[in-house]
Amino acid sequence: MASDPEQPTLSSFPKERKPHGEIGSAREPLLNVSHDSEKYSVSAAIFPFFFPALGGLLYGYDIGSTSCATISIESPTLSGVSWYNLSSIEIGLVTSGSLYGALIGSVLAFNVADFLGRRRELVSAALLYLVGALVTALAPNLPILVIGRFVYGIGIGLAGYGIGSLLVDTVAGWRYMYGVSSPLAVIMGIGMCWLPASPRWLLLCAIQGKGDGENLKSTAIHCLCRIRGQAVDDSAHRQVDEILAELAYVGEEKEVTFGEMFRGKCLKALTIGAGLVLFQQITGQPSVLYYAGSILQSAGFSAASDATRVSILLGFFKLIMTGTAVAVVDKVGRRPLLLGGVSGMAVSLFLLGSYYIFLDDAAVVAVIGLLLYVGCYQISFGPIGWLMISEVFPLRLRGRGLSIAVLVNFGANALVTFAFSPLKELLGAGILFYIFCAIAVGSLVFIYFIVPETKGLTLEEIEAKCL
């Protein structure tokens, strides 16, 4: 991914040539180069982190707001529209529309990222967030609403739950829920325009002969100083030279072809990565989060505001459990968290299924089931799935491997989210949650027999010992 074989390399900068050999060969330049990572200014680093992070906030907001908006838009008194009587398939389209957009967006991202650079890519995403939010909020009918959700998804969970609870009892509150993300998109876009370009991307352009090499190198030094502050000024030239040498070295290794991905170590890495993100979605995660408000409402919290305010607990609990996972993952290991968390997910899905079939007079069972599911997901599939796909794919496979994993993730997410309402209407919520429970048990078998432990291993050791 680092270099285009059709482009000339940057001959004006020295690079170290070493045989790249097979997939498991040592990559000493990547391991031994000494970067002054400790030299940076905290104040300079805040904005390069803050503005891109708004993209994640907007994605999370979409999950939370949709959970509440589906209640508002179906209400005869609160929807503010004449087409509130939506079928289960139409509700599925509303909830999953942004995910189909995200699926397309993920395909585009891997094709335009190196061309545009990360800064321009995120500026484009902010623009799509803004357009999608406005089209959705002002939609005069269902087709325009779904189109707006799709556009928002191309740009794609706690903030949305809170806003939703405040607006769910407001007439046409769903419009405000979707529209309120517009200012965040504007802030994100303006902020990303102000930030400097990625030094690594500028140097990659230099390596690929896309512009004047010396000018690109000079700009990269200036951008590095802006990103890290005055603390890095003295070493900026040396760090840029090291990045150039690293990029030139990595560029000599050709990425695997599509056919090679399905053989040997590549196939095992792909099986682990794609399998984790597939089970991450088909164990019901999109349904539980997107339909949290509706589930709670049917569980006895009859007022829409009651259901959405309880769903705020899910957002806070999700945040707490994610922090817990981050704190213990390198001590406990990946496999124990996956096995323990997914086991808890299976129990919670069994509780939800039992509530709808046998325990419909005990609303507390549904609340406990939801909280248990979210908590267990956030210490297992949520963070660990993405962590492991960043570890198991060898360097030559990483670009194509991650692209396939992201496509599998958004594709499965969109399918499960869309199918939940029709399947719930056809089979009943209890049977549907039992099916998710059975899939969770199947994912435990996959994790136990297929997924390796990578705690404490370098990328080279993972490739040698686990694949």
Side-chain angles (χ1 to χ4, degrees):
M1 297 284 293
S3 67
D4 183 347
E6 298 298 322
Q7 294 285 350
T9 58
L10 188 65
S11 57
S12 57
F13 299 126
K15 64 181 180 179
E16 185 176 1
R17 292 185 175 272
K18 296 194 180 207
H20 53 267
E22 294 300 319
I23 224 174
S25 61
R27 298 178 175 88
E28 295 179 0
L30 300 182
L31 296 175
N32 297 335
V33 168
S34 175
H35 294 283
D36 293 330
S37 58
E38 73 280 2
K39 291 186 177 181
Y40 66 93
S41 166
V42 174
S43 59
I46 289 175
F47 291 116
F49 164 80
F50 175 75
F51 290 117
L54 288 178
L57 176 64
L58 286 165
Y59 180 38
Y61 176 84
D62 179 68
I63 295 175
S65 61
T66 297
S67 174
C68 304
T70 52
I71 296 176
S72 173
I73 202 171
E74 289 185 283
S75 170
T77 57
L78 298 176
S79 65
V81 296
S82 60
W83 38 274
Y84 61 84
N85 189 22
L86 302 178
S87 68
S88 58
I89 292 179
E90 289 170 333
I91 285 294
L93 283 173
V94 172
T95 53
S96 64
S98 63
L99 296 171
Y100 291 113
L103 183 64
I104 300 299
S106 65
V107 175
L108 294 175
F110 285 98
N111 289 300
V112 304
D114 287 340
F115 172 72
L116 291 178
R118 273 54 179 176
R119 183 171 66 98
R120 292 175 183 168
E121 183 183 1
L122 288 173
V123 170
S124 301
L127 179 61
L128 288 166
Y129 275 133
L130 175 62
V131 172
L134 292 176
V135 170
T136 302
L138 300 174
N141 51 49
L142 180 64
I144 300 300
L145 173 62
V146 174
I147 290 173
R149 299 281 294 138
F150 182 85
V151 173
Y152 188 94
I154 297 179
I156 324 203
L158 174 71
Y161 290 115
I163 298 295
S165 70
L166 296 175
L167 298 173
V168 72
D169 285 330
T170 304
V171 175
W174 61 273
R175 295 187 184 275
Y176 302 109
M177 293 177 203
Y178 284 129
V180 78
S181 61
S182 302
L184 282 177
V186 172
I187 294 172
M188 176 184 171
I190 293 174
M192 289 306 304
C193 288
W194 174 79
L195 289 180
S198 163
R200 184 173 290 267
W201 176 72
L202 291 169
L203 296 174
L204 180 63
C205 291
I207 289 289
Q208 296 177 340
K210 298 176 180 178
D212 181 85
E214 291 297 337
N215 286 340
L216 288 169
K217 181 179 178 181
S218 177
T219 305
I221 293 172
H222 174 71
C223 291
L224 184 64
C225 292
R226 279 191 61 190
I227 291 172
R228 296 195 177 183
Q230 295 180 351
V232 80
D233 283 356
D234 295 338
S235 60
H237 285 77
R238 178 168 57 80
Q239 290 190 43
V240 164
D241 286 336
E242 289 174 350
I243 295 173
L244 268 172
E246 182 178 306
L247 288 172
Y249 179 85
V250 173
E252 293 177 8
E253 290 203 348
K254 295 181 179 179
E255 192 170 87
V256 295
T257 64
F258 187 79
E260 289 178 306
M261 295 178 63
F262 298 94
R263 296 196 295 266
K265 292 182 178 181
C266 294
L267 176 59
K268 184 166 184 182
L270 189 60
T271 300
I272 295 169
L276 281 173
V277 295
L278 176 65
F279 280 115
Q280 183 188 67
Q281 301 303 323
I282 64 175
T283 47
Q285 182 268 151
S287 304
V288 172
L289 292 182
Y290 278 103
Y291 293 92
S294 300
I295 292 172
L296 288 167
Q297 192 175 35
S298 65
F301 297 88
S302 55
S305 58
D306 291 338
T308 53
R309 286 180 183 125
V310 172
S311 70
I312 295 175
L313 292 175
L314 294 179
F316 278 111
F317 194 47
K318 183 177 180 181
L319 181 64
I320 292 170
M321 296 308 291
T322 300
T324 302
V326 171
V328 304
V329 63
D330 285 327
K331 298 177 182 178
V332 177
R334 281 67 163 157
R335 276 173 58 86
L337 286 177
L338 281 172
L339 291 170
V342 176
S343 296
M345 288 170 58
V347 172
S348 67
L349 289 166
F350 182 81
L351 286 176
L352 287 169
S354 299
Y355 163 76
Y356 281 103
I357 295 178
F358 306 114
L359 306 170
D360 56 355
D361 58 345
V364 67
V365 173
V367 177
I368 291 174
L370 282 173
L371 290 173
L372 179 61
Y373 182 94
V374 170
C376 290
Y377 177 86
Q378 291 307 130
I379 63 170
S380 57
F381 273 145
I384 308 302
W386 290 109
L387 172 62
M388 291 209 64
I389 66 171
S390 71
E391 294 177 331
V392 299
F393 287 120
L395 187 61
R396 292 177 60 224
L397 174 62
R398 185 153 300 158
R400 293 182 185 274
L402 287 174
S403 66
I404 291 178
V406 170
L407 289 174
V408 170
N409 178 270
F410 280 124
N413 192 334
L415 180 62
V416 172
T417 303
F418 170 76
F420 183 80
S421 284
L423 288 177
K424 180 182 175 183
E425 187 177 87
L426 178 65
L427 303 175
I431 297 298
L432 189 53
F433 281 117
Y434 277 154
I435 292 173
F436 285 142
C437 177
I439 296 174
V441 173
S443 70
L444 282 172
V445 176
F446 173 81
I447 294 167
Y448 186 83
F449 288 104
I450 303 297
V451 178
E453 178 58 73
T454 59
K455 181 184 73 170
L457 300 178
T458 66
L459 295 179
E460 284 73 22
E461 289 170 337
I462 293 172
E463 189 175 321
K465 297 178 180 180
C466 303
L467 300 179

